[in-house]
Amino acid sequence: DFSIAKKSTAIFAESARAKNDGVIKLGENSTGIYYKVDSAGANTNEAGGIINAGTIESSSNDVIAMSYDNPHSNSRIFKNESTGLIDLKGQKSTAMYATGGGTYSVTNDGTIKLANSDNANSPNIGMYTDKSQITFNNDGTIEGGNKTVGIYGYGVNLGNTSTVKAGEGATGVYSKGGNVNIGGTLTVGTNDAVGVYYVGSDGAITN
């Protein structure tokens, strides 16, 4: 088990595969599992990635439970397992953060819990990417409080066992493009809450 203070990282992986089966407790401005691969070098073709099968939790602000920066399109994995729990009670925090130049998928089969956000402009987010070639797959549970965002990205697949819940003024799925396939259960609260907010083009929303 890990318990870390401010501006710290519990597990850092470069090309290798890292898995959490225990409990990680995060302080302010900290990261639970951080994965980063260089765009060139001896390990570019090796399998690797990060998996959470335990618990990552925090009551602090500006936390990222799992951060994944991969420039390659190969067999590397980024997953919150069915036994995985990410419980973020602070502000401006993200459960699963995906970036890099690679084309890959991110999977949540476990449970992500997000506290109410004080500010809708800097919300707590369950799954986040800034890259259009990254796809999110959710077959687990994302429970967000008021003014939170369950999934923020592009292509999104909510499977048959998926549950996404978001509170008042919240957004279940925010997509900037690509296809959004909705299965399972998607529920949001009142006060301008939105189930799927789509601002992209060249994609389709399928329910």
Side-chain angles (χ1 to χ4, degrees), residues 179-195:
N179 295 323
V180 177
N181 299 305
I182 304 170
T185 303
L186 173 59
T187 58
V188 295
T190 57
N191 293 338
D192 297 321
V194 179

Side-chain angles (χ1 to χ4, degrees), residues 60-81:
S60 300
N61 299 333
D62 297 297
V63 163
I64 299 177
M66 304 176 74
S67 179
Y68 188 88
D69 186 348
N70 180 18
H72 306 293
S73 302
N74 52 24
S75 59
R76 290 182 172 90
I77 187 170
F78 182 13
K79 187 175 185 180
N80 187 38
E81 291 273 18

Side-chain angles (χ1 to χ4, degrees), residues 102-134:
T103 299
Y104 61 88
S105 297
V106 182
T107 300
N108 174 48
D109 284 340
T111 300
I112 295 172
K113 294 184 178 181
L114 307 170
N116 295 335
S117 300
D118 291 340
N119 189 339
N121 293 321
S122 53
N124 293 323
I125 301 173
M127 305 174 78
Y128 173 91
T129 187
D130 57 347
K131 304 298 184 181
S132 61
Q133 76 278 6
I134 296 173

Side-chain angles (χ1 to χ4, degrees), residues 14-17 35 37-49 70-76:
E14 185 177 8
S15 297
R17 178 170 293 189
Y35 181 87
V37 180
D38 291 333
S39 59
N43 298 317
T44 56
N45 293 317
E46 294 184 7
N70 180 18
H72 306 293
S73 302
N74 52 24
S75 59
R76 290 182 172 90

